[in-house]
Structure formats: C-alpha cells, structure tokens
Amino acid sequence: MLHRNSSPRCKKQPSLDPEVIRGVSRQLLPPNSTRLMSSEGEHIAKVEKSLNQVTLLGRVGTDPQKRGSIEHPVITFSMATHTNYKYESGEFIQRTDWHRICVFKPILRDTVYTYLKKGTRVLVNGRVSYGEVKDESGNQKSTTSIIADDVIFFQRNA
C-alpha cells in the first residue's frame, strides 16, 4: 500500500529561486507597477474591498434647495420610495420611506437645481452617509443622507 506522499503521481515540485521570479516579473510588469512578494520578508497589509452603493427609484418630494457655502455648495432634495404589503385579509398597504439626497458634483448639482421639480420620477445612484447634527436645544441627532453620484430624470406625462 502506498502512502499519499509516496505516490508516483505526486512528485515534489522544484523550488523556485526568488531572483528568477523577480526577473520574470520585471519583464512582464509595467515599469511603474510594484509587486511585493511574501518571500521578501516584508509585511504585506491586506486591503479589503468594500461597497457602499444605493440605487433608489421614486418621486421627488421637494424642489431642490441650495445649501452649504460658496466654497462647498450642495443641492439637497427629498425623495419618496414606496413598498407595498398585502395582509392575509387581502388588504394592500403602501409604506412610504423618505430619503434626503445631497448632490455635490458640480455639473450634476447645476442640472438638478435647474431642471428637477417636485413630483418628478427619478433614479438616484449614490452612497449612504451617516452624520450627526445639533438641534435648537443642543441635542445631538443622527442623520442619514444619500450622496448622489448620478441622477436620472424620467419624462413627465403631459
């Protein structure tokens, strides 16, 4: 009976010389790219990829408003999305969620402020942002906003 390691099909792989690998990688990689190899003894930090992406389809609740300062302008508007539920009794219920949309990109900001009106159907792609503000009483309140990367207008029915 053969042991797993002594099988004729399981040959020991030849060890590769790190200098040979570096030479081949220099030939294959562009001159400005950097590759770190674990055999170089350097600590390679793992960089995790993450995703913060939101897509909303709904109707504009308020006309866009200018906020912020001259140096850091922002356009904000509210947007409603709906979710429909059906109870066992057959009754339909519609739940409305309201979202605060903030637009920072200059060209998109100007377009939204000029053409977007209350009641318009829009698709917003962006990311979620959380923050805190102080109310009139000085209490901290948490806020949630959608930072828009793209706003797609749908044609209104005349």
Side-chain angles (χ1 to χ4, degrees):
M1 181 169 210
L2 292 173
H3 292 286
R4 183 171 225 131
N5 293 338
S6 63
S7 170
R9 287 184 279 165
C10 295
K11 295 180 181 177
K12 183 179 179 186
Q13 295 292 326
S15 62
L16 297 174
D17 183 16
E19 284 303 314
V20 172
I21 294 173
R22 282 188 203 95
V24 171
S25 66
R26 282 188 203 107
Q27 293 172 1
L28 297 176
L29 295 173
N32 294 336
S33 67
T34 303
R35 294 269 180 175
L36 296 176
M37 301 176 66
S38 60
S39 64
E40 293 177 10
E42 295 183 29
H43 173 50
I44 300 174
K46 290 185 179 182
V47 178
E48 291 184 347
K49 200 160 193 182
S50 63
L51 182 64
N52 179 355
Q53 183 177 352
V54 175
T55 301
L56 298 172
L57 175 64
R59 294 210 178 260
V60 176
T62 59
D63 287 339
Q65 300 174 355
K66 287 185 179 180
R67 299 219 171 189
S69 64
I70 294 173
E71 297 86 24
H72 302 288
V74 62
I75 298 296
T76 62
F77 64 93
S78 64
M79 180 177 171
T81 58
H82 304 290
T83 306
N84 296 317
Y85 297 96
K86 181 179 180 182
Y87 288 111
E88 291 178 6
S89 63
E91 179 185 7
F92 279 99
I93 299 294
Q94 186 178 67
R95 179 176 172 230
T96 303
D97 291 316
W98 288 94
H99 312 277
R100 177 185 300 117
I101 312 297
C102 299
V103 184
F104 291 96
K105 291 183 174 181
I107 295 173
L108 183 60
R109 186 179 60 221
D110 297 339
T111 304
V112 164
Y113 186 72
T114 304
Y115 299 107
L116 194 65
K117 302 294 177 215
K118 179 179 177 179
T120 304
R121 191 166 165 88
V122 294
L123 180 113
V124 174
N125 286 316
R127 59 186 173 85
V128 178
S129 178
Y130 301 100
E132 290 184 346
V133 295
K134 288 186 179 180
D135 62 9
E136 299 83 27
S137 306
N139 299 325
Q140 291 276 21
K141 293 204 168 210
S142 61
T143 63
T144 304
S145 299
I146 306 299
I147 309 300
D149 290 324
D150 196 15
V151 177
I152 299 172
F153 297 57
F154 286 86
Q155 187 175 8
R156 294 176 104 172
N157 294 335

